[in-house]
């Protein structure tokens, strides 16, 4: 038929401000089905357990919009980048979103060790 759903994301990468380690951060990726068949997000998987995606399980009609909420728990330190891979029924089959943050360690070493 040649008709396929197509996902168009407002922003495929989100950069948090500098956050303290352990600070929870959330971001809503907004997207639209710009194709001509209903869009399904079959799965959304993060590159690590510290980032949890939540998404609409229902089909998104052509022209309709949806959201994918990503919760990041602030783990890691310094510059971190987390990838969320969406498994969809689009022609490509997968879409990738990224969330980045600079995480300040909770207990930075304030004194040099004594010998």
């Amino acid at each position: 038929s040649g008709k396929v759903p197509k996902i168009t994301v407002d922003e495929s990468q989100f950069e948090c401000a500098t956050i303290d380690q352990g600070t929870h951060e959330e971001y809503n990726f907004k997207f639209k089905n710009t194709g001509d068949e209903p869009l399904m997000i079959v799965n959304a998987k993060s590159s690590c357990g510290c980032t949890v995606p939540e998404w609409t399980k229902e089909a998104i009609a052509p022209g309709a919009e949806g959201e994918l909420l990503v919760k990041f728990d602030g783990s890691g330190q310094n510059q971190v980048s987390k990838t969320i891979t969406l498994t969809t029924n689009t022609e490509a089959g997968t879409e990738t979103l990224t969330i980045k943050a600079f995480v300040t360690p909770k207990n930075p070493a304030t004194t040099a060790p004594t010998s």
Side-chain angles (χ1 to χ4, degrees):
S1 70
K3 292 186 173 189
V4 291
K6 182 175 177 172
I7 189 168
T8 303
V9 181
D10 286 355
E11 244 185 319
S12 61
Q13 179 174 300
F14 173 68
E15 291 203 34
C16 304
T18 298
I19 60 172
D20 291 328
Q21 196 171 34
T23 300
H24 291 260
E25 201 55 50
E26 291 185 357
Y27 184 71
N28 237 343
F29 285 96
K30 295 182 190 304
F31 60 87
K32 185 173 188 172
N33 179 0
T34 54
D36 40 29
E37 286 292 319
L39 169 69
M40 289 292 299
I41 296 177
V42 181
N43 196 7
K45 197 161 60 174
S46 168
S47 57
C48 82
C50 64
T51 308
V52 180
E54 295 177 3
W55 70 96
T56 307
K57 306 293 192 284
E58 293 80 37
I60 295 139
E65 297 181 353
E67 294 182 351
L68 181 125
L69 178 67
V70 177
K71 297 178 179 181
F72 171 55
D73 70 4
S75 64
Q77 46 185 310
N78 302 320
Q79 189 66 48
V80 295
S81 178
K82 306 298 174 186
T83 304
I84 299 93
T85 303
L86 307 181
T87 303
T88 66
N89 64 336
T90 60
E91 200 166 19
T94 58
E95 303 292 331
T96 305
L97 305 173
T98 308
I99 189 165
K100 292 183 174 189
F102 189 87
V103 181
T104 306
K106 262 188 182 166
N107 299 314
T110 51
T111 56
T114 53
S115 45

